[in-house]
Every structure is written in C-alpha cells, then in structure tokens.
Amino acid sequence: MHVIRKFLSVFLAVGLMGLASPLAANPVLSAQPTYADLATWAEQANMVIRATVKRQIEVPVERAPGLQPGHARLYIKAETSALISGNAPIGEAFSYIVDVPRRANGKPPKLKKQS
C-alpha cells in the first residue's frame, strides 16, 4: 500500500501539477508543489508514469470515509502514455482513486484529457 501511495504522490504531482493533493503522509498542499517537492517525490517513487485521464467518476460522499471538507473523491480511469522511471511492467490503462479540492463553484475539477 505504501508503494501505491508513493506512486500516486509522484503521478499526481507531475501529472496534475497541484490540482490534487498527494496521498502520501504529506499534509494537503495549499499551493502548487515546488520543483524540489517534485524531485523528492520522484526519487522516492518506485515508478513514474505519464498517463492521460480518460474518465472520472465522483465517488458519493457517503462512500468516501475520511474525505476532507471542500474536497471530492474521484475514481479515475487513465491510459498509459509512457513509463518514465521504473522497471515493473505497466498495462496500457489503469485506475486509481484520488481526493481533489473542489473548484469555487463547488464542483470537482474536470481532469478528462489531461496528462
């Protein structure tokens, strides 16, 4: 589970550039991560992947325990573009769950088609 958290931290930091908070033991980011943050997370990760979001589904609040106020939990389906770092095989598509801050209008950000 810890490996998955590290992977998601790097993927989200690099891929979404601060739209989503990393799932590692770091506090929720209030601003975009710095280059030093990205480098640290990339060094700690077993795998770094470039992927494009193909679909996002908001998880209902009653099925999202521990969700912070002002955030939405999304189920993301992504298509792999490249394995940047790591030696484990990765499929052409994968899914993950991430908590993201809601926009000013109360809706989650639209991540579809983003790398």
Side-chain angles (χ1 to χ4, degrees), residues 17-22 26-34 37 41 68 70-71 99-102:
M17 289 304 294
L19 288 177
S21 59
N26 302 328
V28 175
L29 299 175
S30 58
Q32 286 190 341
T34 64
D37 292 331
W41 294 333
Q68 295 181 2
H71 284 71
D99 292 349
V100 295
R102 293 185 179 274

Side-chain angles (χ1 to χ4, degrees), residues 4-115:
I4 294 172
R5 286 183 181 179
K6 282 186 178 181
F7 161 73
L8 287 177
S9 294
V10 173
F11 174 79
L12 294 175
V14 174
L16 303 178
M17 289 304 294
L19 288 177
S21 59
L23 297 179
N26 302 328
V28 175
L29 299 175
S30 58
Q32 286 190 341
T34 64
Y35 178 81
D37 292 331
L38 296 176
T40 299
W41 294 333
E43 286 179 344
Q44 294 173 354
N46 293 332
M47 185 181 302
V48 179
I49 297 170
R50 180 178 177 93
T52 303
V53 174
K54 293 297 178 183
R55 187 168 182 206
Q56 76 179 43
I57 302 167
E58 186 172 358
V59 176
V61 176
E62 59 273 6
R63 299 196 63 197
L67 184 63
Q68 295 181 2
H71 284 71
R73 183 159 295 162
L74 301 177
Y75 175 74
I76 303 287
K77 291 185 176 189
E79 187 175 279
T80 304
S81 303
L83 174 62
I84 297 170
S85 172
N87 56 8
I90 184 76
E92 67 180 54
F94 61 98
S95 301
Y96 61 95
I97 294 177
V98 63
D99 292 349
V100 295
R102 293 185 179 274
R103 298 184 307 196
N105 63 5
K107 295 182 180 182
K110 295 186 181 193
L111 305 177
K112 189 174 180 180
K113 297 183 181 179
Q114 288 192 25
S115 275

